[in-house]
Amino acid sequence: MSAETINKDILRGGQFLVKETQCEDVFTPEDFSEEQQMMKEAVKEFNDREIIPHKPRFEAKDYALTEECMRKAGELGFLGVSVPEAYGGLDMGFVSTMLVCDYISSGTGSFSTAFGAHTGIGTMPITLYGTEEQKKKYVPKLATGEWFGAYCLTEPGAGSDANSGKTTATLSEDGKSYKINGQKMWISNAGFCSLMIVFARIEDDKNITGFIVENDASNGITMGEEEHKLGIRASSTRQVFFNDTVVPVENMLAGRGEGFKIAMNALNVGRIKLAAACLDSQRRILSTAVNYANERKQFKTPIADFGAIKVKLAEMATSAYVGESASYRAAKNIEDRIAIRQAEGNTHQEAELKGVEEYAIECSILKVAVSEDVQNAADEGIQIFGGMGFSEETPMEAAWRDARIARIYEGTNEINRMLCVGMLVKKAMKGHLDLLGPATAVANELMGVPSFDKPDYSELFAEEKDLIKKLKKIFLMVAGSAAQKYGAELEQHQQLLIAAADILIEIYMAESAILRTEKNVKRFGKESQSVQIAMSKLYLYHSVDIIEEKGKESIISFAEGDEQKMMLMGLKRFTKYVNYPDIVDLRNEIAEKVKAENGYCF
């Protein structure tokens, strides 16, 4: 595929907000290739055989079992899916790496964490920033599971402020090595890793530097005891102490002072992969809940037949469907952008880095949305099980505990909310994205007389797609006016940024579901997609409510007088349905489908 062809088909990062996407141009799970379907089945089979039957052992903190399962995953090639063939990997595309992460992660959060830490932040920094010598030496061992990787960034005083770490790296007198001294905490895989990506500061450098450090106890490396955590109990998590740990100069990763850049780009990939890691968990939580609700009888009736339970089943199914729609849409955009870069002559490293960086906004959106949806699903799962849900005898309480870390990993959801709006504004300021033109057009529209013509909404999703356009206007109205008022100080108004981010998130997620369903209606017929249509409409209905609330909160916080009045009127105009969907009917249709299929079936 030529760079020109791909360029025509995909939007750049953040452009979904200002340009209309055609359903034919989005990738959906129904577009998986035969090879991807085979990989999906292989991963599911591994999860069903090696992980799920041993859930009690994981919950009992069997760290050795986690390591054993990681070795088996390595033998089957699952640890090297994204690694180039030259370094012992399968060299599969970004969508395939998402797919493996998706279906391998739902058995237990303990294994999911070990897998994600190793394949992502443990291996990826070397494949993307390492020298040829570093890649040849270390990556084949990591790709096959001979060695395992860990990532040492967080320190007791440096959490979200990753660049403020106190660990030091001091060059030896002969200039051949560095001595690393310091303390790292919350290090996943620490108990069984062979290699660590360690971040330290050289002298008074503004930014930290990355190093590849082999785990050798005789080289001044000691470990704290295993942390006892709310969830992910069999994931090895320890403090790591470095005391005059000698690291050869050739083990510096990228250049001096480039560690912060490595950390930030690793987090971009980590965020979208974390979204993928929550998807099959949602499917399994729903399927387990439906199975129980079909069997559990109260008042001589299966509880799945009660309206109060149907609400939960419908909402859980909808969140799972929307999450996978948005995640695979973004994954394919990244894969295509990588292909564009390679067609333009970029190396594998440059293409992958820039391809993911392009969609950093979408990565943050997905991380927030899907991590919160999986927590909600587990919470409702407990509720459907009732008192049994609170017991360790049933799987829901473990799912709930494991899900909780996802809102903290890869930058907290609060950080990611502020990031996605901040990155969007920065893209606009750099000229990579025209926000000013569309925002000005919305401001002019608010000053004009609204049209009272009755639109033709006879086509499927005609009103929903029109609403999506209006919801985008709300974001432009709020963000444009706020940026104009506060300028560079906008980032100090965190509550405003978070409210604006919620508007942005809802737009992307709702649009992704509608585009997926529209594409599949055209391919498979409307009748086969009736429940998917219901889920897309249900999600949008909730999005409109959230956006109206967050829009109002935002406008009142920074606008006053006539400006405030005009913007609130615009908000009302842009969130108004002509034909309100019957939410009760939509939920009933979705719930009846998952009841009949006894699980997630989309």
Side-chain angles (χ1 to χ4, degrees), residues 181-383:
N181 284 280
Q183 173 185 359
K184 300 290 181 176
M185 68 188 302
W186 308 125
I187 307 307
S188 296
N189 295 353
F192 59 86
C193 71
S194 315
L195 169 156
M196 297 174 243
I197 309 297
V198 180
F199 295 90
R201 193 176 311 278
I202 300 171
E203 296 175 345
D204 294 323
D205 287 0
K206 179 185 174 185
N207 292 323
I208 51 180
T209 299
F211 296 90
I212 302 168
V213 180
E214 294 182 24
N215 185 9
D216 177 1
S218 68
N219 189 20
I221 299 173
T222 53
M223 303 273 177
E225 292 297 311
E226 289 286 356
E227 300 285 353
H228 298 291
K229 308 177 293 292
L230 172 70
I232 56 169
R233 288 179 169 176
S235 156
S236 175
T237 313
R238 295 185 172 193
Q239 291 194 58
V240 182
F241 301 90
F242 301 96
N243 183 20
D244 284 344
T245 300
V246 178
V247 182
V249 291
E250 57 267 25
N251 275 30
M252 181 187 286
L253 199 54
R256 176 172 172 171
E258 291 191 17
F260 187 61
K261 182 175 73 176
I262 296 171
M264 291 304 99
N265 283 323
L267 286 173
N268 285 334
V269 183
R271 283 164 186 151
I272 189 168
K273 293 284 183 69
L274 182 65
C278 294
L279 293 176
D280 198 48
S281 294
Q282 284 191 76
R283 298 185 198 105
R284 285 184 184 267
I285 287 166
L286 172 66
S287 295
T288 304
V290 175
N291 197 268
Y292 181 81
N294 275 334
E295 290 177 1
R296 171 77 166 162
K297 289 187 177 179
Q298 291 292 278
F299 311 105
K300 299 180 180 176
T301 307
I303 64 169
D305 289 346
F306 295 131
I309 303 298
K310 285 183 182 179
V311 169
K312 299 180 188 307
L313 299 179
E315 299 290 355
M316 290 161 76
T318 297
S319 290
Y321 178 78
V322 173
E324 62 184 24
S325 303
S327 296
Y328 285 105
R329 172 191 184 182
K332 187 63 164 76
N333 283 345
I334 290 171
E335 186 173 291
D336 287 346
R337 185 60 59 183
I338 291 168
I340 289 170
R341 287 276 181 178
Q342 288 179 320
E344 291 172 348
N346 284 186
T347 63
H348 167 267
Q349 290 167 290
E350 292 167 333
E352 188 112 349
L353 277 169
K354 293 296 181 185
V356 175
E357 193 180 346
E358 176 68 51
Y359 295 96
I361 294 162
E362 287 82 353
C363 291
S364 281
I365 285 172
L366 288 163
K367 190 273 178 185
V368 172
V370 186
S371 68
E372 292 181 1
D373 284 343
V374 73
Q375 183 82 63
N376 291 338
D379 200 66
E380 291 289 39
I382 289 175
Q383 199 70 10

Side-chain angles (χ1 to χ4, degrees), residues 71 83 196 225 232 254 349 425 471-472:
R71 293 211 185 279
V83 173
M196 297 174 243
E225 292 297 311
I232 56 169
Q349 290 167 290
V425 172
L471 298 179
K472 291 177 182 181

Side-chain angles (χ1 to χ4, degrees), residues 111-123:
F111 178 79
S112 174
T113 295
F115 177 85
H118 172 80
T119 57
I121 50 182
T123 304

Side-chain angles (χ1 to χ4, degrees), residues 7 9 41 74 103 109 124 141 180 214 218 262 274 288 314 322 393 401 424 450 504 524 540 567 575:
N7 263 314
D9 293 340
E41 292 308 314
Y103 285 94
M124 188 181 55
K141 292 179 180 179
I180 294 181
E214 294 182 24
S218 68
I262 296 171
L274 182 65
T288 304
V322 173
E393 297 300 309
R401 287 186 289 98
L424 198 62
L504 190 66
F524 310 126
L540 178 62
M567 290 175 76
T575 52

Side-chain angles (χ1 to χ4, degrees), residues 33-67:
S33 66
E34 192 176 335
E35 180 188 46
Q36 286 167 335
Q37 289 287 4
M38 287 169 63
M39 178 60 84
K40 171 181 159 182
E41 292 308 314
V43 173
K44 284 174 74 175
E45 197 267 333
F46 171 81
N47 200 4
D48 287 335
R49 184 185 72 243
E50 302 291 348
I51 309 294
I52 289 167
H54 305 299
K55 193 82 180 268
R57 289 177 61 189
F58 286 109
E59 292 309 306
K61 304 180 183 178
D62 190 338
Y63 304 108
L65 177 61
T66 301
E67 183 179 357

